[in-house]
Amino acid sequence: MAKKDGISDERAKTAQLALMVIFFTQGFATLSWMPRIPEFIDNLQVSKELWGAIIGFGGAGSLIPLLFTSRLVVRFGTTPIIKYSSFGMVAILLALPYPTQWWLFLFLNFMLSFAISVFNIALNSQAVMFQKRVNKVLLGSFHGSWSIGAAASAGVSSIIAAFTPLKLQMFLMPMICLVLFVWAARHMVQPAESDAVDRDVPTERISWLKTPPFLWLLAVGGFMGMWPELVLMDWSSVYAKEVLNLDPSRAAWPYTIFVIAMIVGRFSITRLTEKYNV
């Protein structure tokens, strides 16, 4: 049986499926609470301005892991980090509907952003290295799986919101994610299988002052690309409820349509890059 850097074709297919599943599950988990944001605002009894501050400062938790996660990847490999950070994400999602004090919700949101960031860095590290080893352009498909998970989460939330209390939904959906996370983590490339796949990262630290200009340009482009998506994630359900007068079962529809368009775009990346040799 043919092998790709120590991994058989069959094992590579299993690992690729596991990566698709875990990207899907991350999208599902991330969007599991977004369609019901108006109910979180009501629970906390905060103004829209304070809610925006909570979301903004909570999101700052995603910056801290940028300082150390790559070193953890070098030391432990990506799979253990993905596994344990996914447990943290699920635990925080389970706790989200219970605080009635804004500062406690801010703390949970900060920690959720922290866990998602650690998870993201490790997951994308493995995805990039796996793509490199199998010599295929797969990252667009992996991110497309995230979008499918986000769309599925928004759709499921719309259905559940019609007859399920917020706390019950925020128990069921994270538990579904936990099952998928555990399965995917067991079938991803493990550190013991191949250092070439899981730890092919530079160990020498490079000062940010020496970062090539094209990386700064990519960073700015990535930020500008993510900005509208994050705005829609955080505010589309509020807009749907208060401006479009949609009930909770339909509040996620605008974002669902947006995500479907993202799915088409992300799954087109592989074909477009192959066609135009980008």
PDB file of all heavy atoms in Angstrom, residues 69-82:
ATOM      1  N   THR A  69       0.974  29.183  21.820  1.00  0.00           N
ATOM      2  CA  THR A  69       0.440  27.929  21.308  1.00  0.00           C
ATOM      3  C   THR A  69       1.396  27.233  20.349  1.00  0.00           C
ATOM      4  O   THR A  69       1.509  26.004  20.343  1.00  0.00           O
ATOM      5  CB  THR A  69      -0.915  28.162  20.611  1.00  0.00           C
ATOM      6  OG1 THR A  69      -1.803  28.825  21.519  1.00  0.00           O
ATOM      7  CG2 THR A  69      -1.541  26.835  20.206  1.00  0.00           C
ATOM      8  N   SER A  70       2.113  27.994  19.529  1.00  0.00           N
ATOM      9  CA  SER A  70       3.045  27.363  18.586  1.00  0.00           C
ATOM     10  C   SER A  70       4.125  26.579  19.319  1.00  0.00           C
ATOM     11  O   SER A  70       4.558  25.512  18.863  1.00  0.00           O
ATOM     12  CB  SER A  70       3.672  28.414  17.665  1.00  0.00           C
ATOM     13  OG  SER A  70       4.393  29.372  18.418  1.00  0.00           O
ATOM     14  N   ARG A  71       4.563  27.070  20.491  1.00  0.00           N
ATOM     15  CA  ARG A  71       5.559  26.336  21.262  1.00  0.00           C
ATOM     16  C   ARG A  71       4.973  25.054  21.850  1.00  0.00           C
ATOM     17  O   ARG A  71       5.667  24.035  21.955  1.00  0.00           O
ATOM     18  CB  ARG A  71       6.121  27.227  22.365  1.00  0.00           C
ATOM     19  CG  ARG A  71       7.211  28.183  21.866  1.00  0.00           C
ATOM     20  CD  ARG A  71       7.665  29.131  22.929  1.00  0.00           C
ATOM     21  NE  ARG A  71       6.753  30.265  23.066  1.00  0.00           N
ATOM     22  CZ  ARG A  71       6.861  31.205  23.985  1.00  0.00           C
ATOM     23  NH1 ARG A  71       7.836  31.146  24.876  1.00  0.00           N
ATOM     24  NH2 ARG A  71       6.008  32.210  24.044  1.00  0.00           N
ATOM     25  N   LEU A  72       3.703  25.098  22.236  1.00  0.00           N
ATOM     26  CA  LEU A  72       3.049  23.880  22.712  1.00  0.00           C
ATOM     27  C   LEU A  72       2.934  22.848  21.585  1.00  0.00           C
ATOM     28  O   LEU A  72       3.081  21.649  21.817  1.00  0.00           O
ATOM     29  CB  LEU A  72       1.655  24.208  23.256  1.00  0.00           C
ATOM     30  CG  LEU A  72       1.584  25.059  24.521  1.00  0.00           C
ATOM     31  CD1 LEU A  72       0.122  25.302  24.917  1.00  0.00           C
ATOM     32  CD2 LEU A  72       2.328  24.386  25.662  1.00  0.00           C
ATOM     33  N   VAL A  73       2.660  23.340  20.371  1.00  0.00           N
ATOM     34  CA  VAL A  73       2.572  22.444  19.216  1.00  0.00           C
ATOM     35  C   VAL A  73       3.910  21.745  18.986  1.00  0.00           C
ATOM     36  O   VAL A  73       3.958  20.535  18.728  1.00  0.00           O
ATOM     37  CB  VAL A  73       2.137  23.227  17.956  1.00  0.00           C
ATOM     38  CG1 VAL A  73       2.342  22.390  16.704  1.00  0.00           C
ATOM     39  CG2 VAL A  73       0.684  23.661  18.074  1.00  0.00           C
ATOM     40  N   VAL A  74       5.008  22.506  19.076  1.00  0.00           N
ATOM     41  CA  VAL A  74       6.332  21.929  18.874  1.00  0.00           C
ATOM     42  C   VAL A  74       6.618  20.874  19.939  1.00  0.00           C
ATOM     43  O   VAL A  74       7.176  19.811  19.652  1.00  0.00           O
ATOM     44  CB  VAL A  74       7.418  23.027  18.911  1.00  0.00           C
ATOM     45  CG1 VAL A  74       8.812  22.417  18.904  1.00  0.00           C
ATOM     46  CG2 VAL A  74       7.247  23.962  17.724  1.00  0.00           C
ATOM     47  N   ARG A  75       6.197  21.137  21.153  1.00  0.00           N
ATOM     48  CA  ARG A  75       6.537  20.229  22.260  1.00  0.00           C
ATOM     49  C   ARG A  75       5.642  18.996  22.318  1.00  0.00           C
ATOM     50  O   ARG A  75       6.115  17.886  22.533  1.00  0.00           O
ATOM     51  CB  ARG A  75       6.459  20.986  23.585  1.00  0.00           C
ATOM     52  CG  ARG A  75       6.855  20.135  24.784  1.00  0.00           C
ATOM     53  CD  ARG A  75       6.964  20.952  26.042  1.00  0.00           C
ATOM     54  NE  ARG A  75       7.366  20.140  27.171  1.00  0.00           N
ATOM     55  CZ  ARG A  75       7.520  20.598  28.416  1.00  0.00           C
ATOM     56  NH1 ARG A  75       7.328  21.891  28.665  1.00  0.00           N
ATOM     57  NH2 ARG A  75       7.880  19.788  29.395  1.00  0.00           N
ATOM     58  N   PHE A  76       4.323  19.210  22.131  1.00  0.00           N
ATOM     59  CA  PHE A  76       3.383  18.111  22.361  1.00  0.00           C
ATOM     60  C   PHE A  76       2.713  17.593  21.086  1.00  0.00           C
ATOM     61  O   PHE A  76       2.039  16.569  21.121  1.00  0.00           O
ATOM     62  CB  PHE A  76       2.288  18.555  23.341  1.00  0.00           C
ATOM     63  CG  PHE A  76       2.814  18.976  24.681  1.00  0.00           C
ATOM     64  CD1 PHE A  76       2.818  20.305  25.050  1.00  0.00           C
ATOM     65  CD2 PHE A  76       3.312  18.028  25.566  1.00  0.00           C
ATOM     66  CE1 PHE A  76       3.302  20.698  26.296  1.00  0.00           C
ATOM     67  CE2 PHE A  76       3.796  18.411  26.810  1.00  0.00           C
ATOM     68  CZ  PHE A  76       3.797  19.750  27.178  1.00  0.00           C
ATOM     69  N   GLY A  77       2.863  18.293  19.963  1.00  0.00           N
ATOM     70  CA  GLY A  77       2.112  17.938  18.767  1.00  0.00           C
ATOM     71  C   GLY A  77       0.736  18.583  18.792  1.00  0.00           C
ATOM     72  O   GLY A  77       0.272  19.096  19.818  1.00  0.00           O
ATOM     73  N   THR A  78       0.063  18.578  17.673  1.00  0.00           N
ATOM     74  CA  THR A  78      -1.210  19.296  17.565  1.00  0.00           C
ATOM     75  C   THR A  78      -2.399  18.548  18.157  1.00  0.00           C
ATOM     76  O   THR A  78      -3.283  19.152  18.756  1.00  0.00           O
ATOM     77  CB  THR A  78      -1.522  19.598  16.084  1.00  0.00           C
ATOM     78  OG1 THR A  78      -1.478  18.380  15.343  1.00  0.00           O
ATOM     79  CG2 THR A  78      -0.521  20.569  15.508  1.00  0.00           C
ATOM     80  N   THR A  79      -2.434  17.230  18.012  1.00  0.00           N
ATOM     81  CA  THR A  79      -3.631  16.478  18.395  1.00  0.00           C
ATOM     82  C   THR A  79      -3.976  16.591  19.878  1.00  0.00           C
ATOM     83  O   THR A  79      -5.143  16.826  20.216  1.00  0.00           O
ATOM     84  CB  THR A  79      -3.497  15.001  17.981  1.00  0.00           C
ATOM     85  OG1 THR A  79      -3.291  14.939  16.571  1.00  0.00           O
ATOM     86  CG2 THR A  79      -4.759  14.229  18.326  1.00  0.00           C
ATOM     87  N   PRO A  80      -3.022  16.443  20.818  1.00  0.00           N
ATOM     88  CA  PRO A  80      -3.383  16.619  22.229  1.00  0.00           C
ATOM     89  C   PRO A  80      -3.937  18.014  22.535  1.00  0.00           C
ATOM     90  O   PRO A  80      -4.875  18.164  23.320  1.00  0.00           O
ATOM     91  CB  PRO A  80      -2.060  16.368  22.968  1.00  0.00           C
ATOM     92  CG  PRO A  80      -1.241  15.558  22.030  1.00  0.00           C
ATOM     93  CD  PRO A  80      -1.605  16.041  20.662  1.00  0.00           C
ATOM     94  N   ILE A  81      -3.364  19.026  21.902  1.00  0.00           N
ATOM     95  CA  ILE A  81      -3.839  20.393  22.146  1.00  0.00           C
ATOM     96  C   ILE A  81      -5.256  20.564  21.616  1.00  0.00           C
ATOM     97  O   ILE A  81      -6.115  21.175  22.261  1.00  0.00           O
ATOM     98  CB  ILE A  81      -2.880  21.403  21.487  1.00  0.00           C
ATOM     99  CG1 ILE A  81      -1.478  21.263  22.090  1.00  0.00           C
ATOM    100  CG2 ILE A  81      -3.387  22.829  21.669  1.00  0.00           C
ATOM    101  CD1 ILE A  81      -0.414  22.059  21.366  1.00  0.00           C
ATOM    102  N   ILE A  82      -5.521  20.033  20.427  1.00  0.00           N
ATOM    103  CA  ILE A  82      -6.865  20.091  19.851  1.00  0.00           C
ATOM    104  C   ILE A  82      -7.864  19.402  20.776  1.00  0.00           C
ATOM    105  O   ILE A  82      -8.958  19.916  21.041  1.00  0.00           O
ATOM    106  CB  ILE A  82      -6.876  19.441  18.458  1.00  0.00           C
ATOM    107  CG1 ILE A  82      -6.061  20.274  17.472  1.00  0.00           C
ATOM    108  CG2 ILE A  82      -8.304  19.260  17.938  1.00  0.00           C
ATOM    109  CD1 ILE A  82      -5.761  19.568  16.163  1.00  0.00           C
TER     110      ILE A  82
END
